[in-house]
Amino acid sequence: MSVGAEPLVRVQAGPIDLAAEIAALESGGAAGALVTFTGTCRDEGGRLEALELEHYPGMAESEIARFAAEAARRWDLLAVAAVHRYGRVAPGETIVFVACASVHRGAAFEAAHFLMDYMKTRAPFWKREHLKDGTVGGWVESKDTDDHAVDRWRHVL
Amino acid sequence: MKLIYFAWVRERIGLAEEEVELPAGIETVSDLLHWLRGRGENYESALQAQDMIRVALDKEHSDHSDAVAGAKEIALFPPMTGG
């Protein structure tokens, strides 16, 4: 593990400022690669008014921090950050932001992918749909493909 | 001990959290889920797909075979859909 800075982990109700998040990861010139992922709320073909994200306060932060630390243990990272929103999120807005910086790109790509896959299936958040017609839709169902995505990392490193 | 519910588990039970005294013989998460299902139709409706219910003991993911002794806060919720 060679993380230059502590993992930056946050769970917040307000919008995620991508430029500010990226600027906070400046490593003083050591990094040759910065990989960022932003997960965005879709409009589902114009049907969706907003997504509402429920979370488990305390556990949401501690689980994300656990995966961020695990990413830093598995790959040589200079910086790692993960920010997740809760509450109401409109189409086009960022729900989740993950960033990893490393000397060479391989570590940053893999670590960001790993961190995102774990956040999808292990961080305690639940989405429900609010529709344009004013009705509250159902809770979004979990996908087997997300579980399979996580399984893949069990065999890495 | 405190039980805390999220998403559709919370909605079907009709409570966000509650304090309970576990009867003797409830040793594992699985025992706890069985016992809760017997407390009323709302619990049965929330927990009938028992294998699907995720459980956290003091904010850490657990298996249904884990012991509940010593836990102060037990959370029950559906599979997670964040990100």
Side-chain angles (χ1 to χ4, degrees):
Chain A
M1 167 169 165
S2 65
V3 160
E6 281 295 297
L8 188 162
V9 169
R10 221 168 47 249
V11 169
Q12 65 185 46
I16 298 173
D17 181 341
L18 296 177
E21 299 297 344
I22 290 168
L25 294 172
E26 268 305 318
S27 59
L34 171 66
V35 170
T36 67
F37 173 84
T38 57
T40 308
C41 177
R42 286 184 297 265
D43 70 359
E44 302 294 356
R47 199 169 59 80
L48 197 80
E49 175 73 24
L51 278 178
E52 175 192 342
L53 282 127
E54 181 168 332
H55 77 303
Y56 185 177
M59 185 176 171
E61 292 87 340
S62 62
E63 278 298 303
I64 297 171
R66 183 202 307 269
F67 315 137
E70 178 64 16
R73 195 184 65 76
R74 291 191 183 202
W75 288 278
D76 283 336
L77 302 178
L78 294 164
V80 54
V83 183
H84 204 303
R85 279 186 74 177
Y86 64 88
R88 210 174 157 97
V89 179
E93 291 183 357
T94 300
I95 298 174
V96 63
F97 169 80
V98 161
C100 293
S102 57
V103 175
H104 300 289
R105 70 184 181 281
F109 265 125
E110 287 194 5
H113 198 169
F114 163 89
L115 187 47
M116 197 53 228
D117 283 350
Y118 270 78
M119 284 177 75
K120 290 282 289 187
T121 54
R122 303 275 291 179
F125 290 85
W126 302 272
K127 289 193 191 101
R128 103 182 305 176
E129 297 182 330
H130 287 260
L131 306 180
K132 274 259 166 62
D133 64 9
T135 58
V136 178
W139 292 93
V140 174
E141 286 191 30
S142 63
K143 295 191 188 74
D144 287 345
T145 48
D146 289 335
D147 288 329
H148 295 152
V150 160
D151 284 344
R152 186 164 57 107
W153 297 106
R154 297 188 206 286
H155 308 293
V156 173
L157 300 182
Chain B
M1 95 189 7
K2 181 178 174 184
L3 298 181
I4 178 164
Y5 311 121
F6 291 100
W8 53 255
V9 171
R10 169 178 55 73
E11 287 186 335
R12 290 179 191 174
I13 291 177
L15 289 172
E17 58 181 73
E18 61 181 321
E19 286 287 336
V20 296
E21 289 278 340
L22 293 191
I26 306 294
E27 291 178 358
T28 65
V29 166
S30 184
D31 294 340
L32 170 69
L33 292 170
H34 264 294
W35 173 69
L36 282 170
R37 288 172 65 182
R39 295 178 83 210
E41 279 180 23
N42 51 332
Y43 291 92
E44 173 62 17
S45 141
L47 306 174
Q48 58 188 340
Q50 189 167 321
D51 292 346
M52 184 196 256
I53 301 298
R54 308 296 173 94
V55 179
L57 302 178
D58 293 327
K59 298 190 169 76
E60 292 204 13
H61 288 296
S62 68
D63 293 325
H64 285 199
S65 57
D66 287 348
V68 294
K72 293 192 176 69
E73 179 176 290
I74 301 185
L76 276 59
F77 43 79
M80 290 138 286
T81 54

